[in-house]
Amino acid sequence: MDAATEERIKGECVEILRKVGCSEEVIRHCIAVAELALEIARLRNSKRRRSRSSEGGECEAEEGSKERGGEEVDEELVFRGALLHDIGRSRTHGIKHAYVGAEIARSLGLDERIVRIIERHIGAGIPAEEAKNLGLPAKDFIPETIEEKIVACADNLIAHDRRMSIEEALKEFKERLGANHPAVERARKLYEEVFALKE
């Protein structure tokens, strides 16, 4: 994705956020998350391309792509999804903002893949039982695709519009939820998967 396309998409998404009533603070946060998410997507794609070329071709690399560089990331989808991930904060700043955001996105006729990024971006995802206890519908809100995972991870690494290390992010999770809350471990594992730290 070239710089002109990036600017066009950013303009379109910021216009949507403003139209539904998101504050400038939320918009700045969404832009910061989108910039980091796009960096991560590009890093993964670059790693994948290097892995494919060093292994002597596409066919051989495809067989082991999950282990050696992962699937190709749709950079535009990541960027749009990240820019719009907090659209629900136009109505609520509580835990339900992702669910509400997905409803808003559907009502606007947005791509269902973007809707799922919005709906599944909270923390490192919320399993059905936890969702039910939080007053959400009793279904999994766990990111499944690599694009969903990248946006959720990038969101965890941005406080307002400032980047944090994974250590800072996990510390915040522990302070907010308790050291033994399962979301802390889910966030750590998500980070490791997204940054391909586990071989």
Side-chain angles (χ1 to χ4, degrees):
M1 181 170 52
D2 61 35
T5 303
E6 207 176 303
E7 280 306 306
R8 179 182 52 77
I9 290 169
K10 184 160 88 172
E12 291 169 1
C13 291
V14 166
E15 184 179 330
I16 290 169
L17 293 172
R18 285 192 176 121
K19 210 176 274 188
V20 300
C22 286
S23 70
E24 291 303 310
E25 183 180 353
V26 167
I27 292 169
R28 281 192 303 276
H29 168 75
C30 289
I31 291 169
V33 170
E35 288 170 351
L36 177 56
L38 185 56
E39 282 179 35
I40 295 168
R42 286 176 170 157
L43 176 70
R44 285 185 64 97
N45 283 341
S46 173
K47 237 183 189 179
R48 182 175 186 272
R49 284 185 211 97
R50 281 194 312 272
S51 172
R52 288 172 66 174
S53 65
S54 71
E55 291 169 8
E58 196 170 314
C59 294
E60 288 176 32
E62 281 304 311
E63 287 175 25
S65 68
K66 293 272 190 240
E67 294 81 24
R68 292 192 297 268
E71 63 267 35
E72 184 78 19
V73 178
D74 184 332
E75 294 175 8
E76 185 174 324
L77 177 60
V78 165
F79 195 56
R80 284 183 188 278
L83 282 164
L84 297 170
H85 81 279
D86 269 351
I87 195 170
R89 291 193 182 273
S90 63
R91 304 239 177 97
T92 180
H93 286 279
I95 193 76
K96 294 182 181 178
H97 78 273
Y99 180 73
V100 169
E103 290 178 335
I104 293 169
R106 277 191 191 97
S107 76
L108 294 172
L110 297 181
D111 184 322
E112 190 60 30
R113 297 172 305 160
I114 292 172
V115 172
R116 286 191 300 272
I117 287 172
I118 294 166
E119 190 171 62
R120 297 173 180 169
H121 83 272
I122 297 181
I126 302 173
E129 191 58 38
E130 273 183 50
K132 183 179 172 187
N133 294 337
L134 293 167
L136 292 164
K139 68 177 196 172
D140 277 333
F141 291 88
I142 302 285
E144 295 175 6
T145 67
I146 190 59
E147 291 83 8
E148 293 168 8
K149 291 173 182 179
I150 288 171
V151 173
C153 183
D155 188 37
N156 290 341
L157 298 173
I158 301 288
H160 304 286
D161 59 357
R162 181 185 69 81
R163 291 186 183 191
M164 300 186 290
S165 68
I166 185 61
E167 293 79 19
E168 289 174 283
L170 293 176
K171 182 179 178 206
E172 279 194 12
F173 267 84
K174 289 174 185 175
E175 288 171 358
R176 198 172 56 236
L177 303 170
N180 296 320
H181 194 284
V184 176
E185 183 63 13
R186 281 196 304 268
R188 185 188 61 73
K189 285 181 177 176
L190 178 67
Y191 176 84
E192 289 175 351
E193 180 180 355
V194 164
F195 283 90
L197 299 175
K198 293 279 186 180
E199 292 299 322

mmCIF file of all heavy atoms in Angstrom, residues 71 112 144:
data_model
loop_
_atom_site.group_PDB
_atom_site.id
_atom_site.type_symbol
_atom_site.label_atom_id
_atom_site.label_comp_id
_atom_site.label_asym_id
_atom_site.label_seq_id
_atom_site.Cartn_x
_atom_site.Cartn_y
_atom_site.Cartn_z
ATOM 1 N N GLU A 71 0.917 -16.368 7.301
ATOM 2 C CA GLU A 71 0.172 -16.047 6.090
ATOM 3 C C GLU A 71 0.363 -14.578 5.711
ATOM 4 O O GLU A 71 0.739 -13.762 6.537
ATOM 5 C CB GLU A 71 -1.321 -16.379 6.280
ATOM 6 C CG GLU A 71 -1.991 -15.574 7.366
ATOM 7 C CD GLU A 71 -2.012 -16.221 8.737
ATOM 8 O OE1 GLU A 71 -1.057 -16.914 9.124
ATOM 9 O OE2 GLU A 71 -2.996 -16.004 9.461
ATOM 10 N N GLU A 112 -17.628 -6.974 6.456
ATOM 11 C CA GLU A 112 -17.777 -7.828 7.639
ATOM 12 C C GLU A 112 -16.424 -8.151 8.278
ATOM 13 O O GLU A 112 -16.341 -8.342 9.490
ATOM 14 C CB GLU A 112 -18.530 -9.110 7.275
ATOM 15 C CG GLU A 112 -18.956 -9.943 8.460
ATOM 16 C CD GLU A 112 -19.893 -9.245 9.454
ATOM 17 O OE1 GLU A 112 -20.686 -8.369 9.053
ATOM 18 O OE2 GLU A 112 -19.821 -9.586 10.658
ATOM 19 N N GLU A 144 -9.437 -14.058 15.545
ATOM 20 C CA GLU A 144 -9.118 -15.314 14.862
ATOM 21 C C GLU A 144 -8.143 -15.127 13.709
ATOM 22 O O GLU A 144 -7.173 -15.855 13.605
ATOM 23 C CB GLU A 144 -10.408 -15.970 14.353
ATOM 24 C CG GLU A 144 -11.336 -16.404 15.475
ATOM 25 C CD GLU A 144 -12.667 -16.955 14.994
ATOM 26 O OE1 GLU A 144 -12.842 -17.115 13.762
ATOM 27 O OE2 GLU A 144 -13.535 -17.211 15.841
#
